[in-house]
Amino acid sequence: MTQIVEPNRRDLFKIAGGGVVIFFGLKPLAEAVAQDWPRYPSDFHAYLAIGADGRVTVFSGKIEMGQGVLTSQAQMAAEELGVPLSSVDMVLGDTARCPWDMGTFGSLTTRMFGPHLRTAAAMARGVLLELAATRLDAPVNRLRAKDGVIAVIGAPGRMVSYAALSRQARIARGLDKAPPLHTPSEFTVMGRSAKRLDGVEKVTGAAKYAADIRLPGMLYARILRPPQHDATLKRVDTAAAEKLAGIVVVHKKDLIAVLHADPEVASVALSRIVTEWDQPASTLDQDTIFAHIEAAAKDVQVLQSKGDVTRTRAARAFDVTFHKGYVAHAPIEPHAALAEVKGGHATIWASTQTPFPTRDEIARALNFKPEAVRVITPYVGGGFGGKSRSIQAIEAARLAQVTGKPVQVEWTRADEFYNDTFDPAAVVKIRSGLTDANRIAYWDYEVFAAGGRAAEIFYDIPNLRVRSAGGMSYEGAAARKGLHPFGVGPWRAPGANMNIFAVESQIDTLAAAAHADPMAFRMAHLSDPRMRRVLRSCADAFGWKPAAGPSGRGVGMALSSDAGSYVATMAEVKVDKQSGKVHVERITCAIDMGVVVNPEGARMQTEGCLTMGLGYTFAEELRFKGGRILDSNFDTYHLPRFSSLPKMIETVLVKNDALAPQGCGEPAITTTGAVIANAVFDACGARLTRLPMTPERVRAALLAQGT
C-alpha cells in the first residue's frame, strides 16, 4: 500500500525559501480522480511558490522524458497566474519537494494533473489580488493582474509587482473556492507554440540524466543476470573477479554484483564470475506463443454488449484472427540510478516514470520509512511505460546500503532487453457479418492478453459483444500466472495498438466486401459528431478521393478514440511485390484533443507517435526461446530509422475549445498499424493480419491471395 507523505507549512516555506506560498486541497476533484486511481491520496495537494525576486516555482510530481510536459505545465501555470512564461521555474519528480503523484504515464499529465495545476495558479492569482487590494487600497474588482504586476484599472502608476508582495513577508494563504480558469479566448500563454524550456540544454548536451550524476567516491556496479527468465542459480564462483584490484563483490540473497570506481573494470570482473544455472526447457517462441495465449488466457470479461450476436444472421460472414508479438520499449537511455545511503537517509537519482512509488519500494527494500528516502528524477531519456518500474533504483539503493558508498547502476543494453516488461503478445478473434444492404449486422470481438483499451466499438452496430481474456498485467514477472514466459507491462497506449489494428483492419475488410469507399462505409456507421468531424478534417488535409478497395493507389485510413482524444489517420504506401518491402510515402493525422496547450508540442508528440508506431508496424518483434531473450541490442531488434520515414507527416489539430485538454502523448500511435495495413491492402490486395508486417509476411500474404 502506498504511503502518502504530505508537506506541512514549515516544509513549504523551507522548500520555497520564503515569499508567498500557495497551497490548497481540492477534495471534490481528488475524489473524482480517486474513482479511477484509488492510490491517490484522499486530499490531494498541489502548490507553487512565488519568490521574493518575483520568480514562480512550480512543483510537480510528473517527470520530463521527452514528451514536453516541462514546458506545457509551465504554460498552464503562467497562464492562470498571469506571469510571463520566462519567469516560471519547474521542479519535477522530486519526492522531497513535490506533491505526491502516481506517475507519468497514460497521457494523464495534462488531462488529470493539469486541472490541479491550473487551479493552483488561479488561486495564487486570487490571493495576490487580495494582498494587492490592501497594499493599493482598492477593491479587488478594480484590479488587473498581468505579467506579474497588479494595477488599479484606470489609475496609471498605482501598481505593485508580485515580487514586491512576496518581499513584504512570508505569507501562506489559501482560498476555499477556486477562481474561474481562463477561457481559450483569454489565453495569452496557453494555446501558443512556446519554445521548449529544455531545448537548449538538450541540444547543447548540458542536460543531465541519471547516468550523468557523479558523487565523490562513487562505485559503478555490474549485476549478475540469469541467462533466461525462470533460471535457478546452482553454483557461483566469484574468486577470479575478487582478484582484480579495487573490486568489491556483493552477494546478498538474490543480488550478486561487482563494483569498482571504473565501470570498465567492473565489467571485466563480471565476465570472470563462473556460474552454473538450472535452465528449464520450453517450446514457446515468437511463433508458438499465440496458441499458448489462447489456451492460457482466463478471466474473460464482457466489456461491451448490445443486441444478440449469438442469434444474428448475416448475408456474408467474416471471421478473422489477428496476432501481434512481444515488443520492447528500447528507450535510447537504459535504466540508470545513483544511490547514496548515509545517516539513516537515502537519496536516489533515478530514470523513472514513478518517483513516489519507487521511493516507497526503496523504503521497503532498505527497511526505511518513506520520508527517509528521497527520489530525484533528472531528465529521462524515453520511457514509453517501460520506466514505470525502477528495479535499477532498488538495486542501486541496496548496494549503497551494503557498501556504505554511493553506487551507480546503469543497465547495459542487454540488461535493458532482459529486464524489460514487454508489450505483450496478443491475439484478437473477430466474427462479423454484413446484411444484404451492406450494413454491419453483428460484431463479436474477443481479445486475448492485450486488455480492453480501445477494444470497445464507437461504430453503430446493432448487435455486438466485446470480450477480453487474460487482461493485461502491469506487474512484470510476478503476475504472469502462466500466460507469458517473462514480464509484460505498459507500452505506449498499452493494448490499444493491437485492438485498433484488429478493429480498423476488420472494418476495412467489411468495406471492401461491400464494394464501398472506406470513408463512406465508416461514415455510414458513425453517428458520433466528434469522430465524424475528425475524419472529415483528416480527409480534407490528405486529399482523400473516394474509391472502393483495393484501388491500387495504396491509400488507407484508421480511426481511434484514446486517452480522451479522437484520431483519424490516413496514409499512402508503395509495395514492392517482389521483395515484400513497404515504403510509406506520406501520413496525415487529424486529432481532436480538446484545448491545445502547446500546438507545436502537440505536433511533435503526434509525429513521434506515428514514427514510433512504424516500429511496431514493420519490424519490432521480440525473438525468444522460452525464458531466453534472443535480442540484446539494435543489431537484431530494429527501430525506425530516418531513412524509413515518409517524406511528409502532417498533423491536423482539430479545434475543440469546448473540451478541456485531453491526452496527446499516446493516441496517434494507436492507428499506425491499422492505417498501414489498410493502405497495403489497397495497394496490392493482400490483407496482413499479423504484426509486424515484415517483407517475408507481406510476400506470404501476396502468395496467399495469388498475386
Side-chain angles (χ1 to χ4, degrees), residues 16-88:
V20 178
V21 176
I22 308 300
F23 62 94
F24 63 97
L26 291 179
K27 193 171 182 180
L29 183 55
E31 289 176 346
V33 171
Q35 291 176 6
D36 293 325
W37 300 99
R39 293 178 66 159
Y40 260 11
S42 60
D43 187 15
F44 180 79
H45 293 272
Y47 58 88
L48 54 85
I50 302 170
D53 58 357
R55 295 199 64 79
V56 179
T57 303
V58 174
F59 303 96
S60 168
K62 300 298 182 183
I63 60 97
E64 174 62 58
M65 54 184 167
Q67 78 279 40
V69 298
L70 178 77
T71 304
S72 62
Q73 288 182 99
Q75 285 183 266
M76 287 188 279
E79 176 62 51
E80 300 301 342
L81 187 55
V83 298
L85 181 60
S86 59
S87 68
V88 178

Side-chain angles (χ1 to χ4, degrees), residues 305-310 312 440-444 461-465:
S305 181
K306 184 170 65 172
D308 190 344
V309 298
T310 62
T312 304
I440 302 176
Y442 65 88
W443 182 274
D444 193 6
I461 303 174
N463 303 284
L464 64 87
R465 179 176 61 180

Side-chain angles (χ1 to χ4, degrees), residues 360-434:
D360 296 344
E361 283 196 79
I362 292 171
R364 287 191 290 270
L366 302 183
N367 197 25
F368 282 7
K369 292 182 178 180
E371 55 265 35
V373 178
R374 179 185 184 184
V375 173
I376 301 171
T377 311
Y379 290 126
V380 177
F384 317 116
K387 289 177 181 168
S388 298
R389 299 188 72 226
S390 304
I391 300 171
Q392 89 289 358
I394 301 169
E395 292 172 336
R398 290 177 65 190
L399 291 170
Q401 186 179 47
V402 170
T403 63
K405 294 185 177 182
V407 174
Q408 187 173 87
V409 173
E410 182 183 8
W411 285 356
T412 65
R413 186 58 62 183
D415 286 338
E416 188 72 31
F417 274 98
Y418 176 83
N419 287 302
D420 200 2
T421 50
F422 303 96
D423 187 43
V427 179
V428 170
K429 291 179 173 291
I430 308 179
R431 293 176 52 254
S432 59
L434 288 174

Side-chain angles (χ1 to χ4, degrees), residues 583-608:
H583 187 267
V584 183
E585 299 290 307
R586 61 189 179 110
I587 301 177
T588 299
C589 181
I591 180 167
D592 172 355
M593 61 181 71
V595 171
V596 180
V597 177
N598 184 333
E600 187 57 30
R603 293 186 188 96
M604 289 180 183
Q605 280 291 281
T606 302
E607 291 174 8

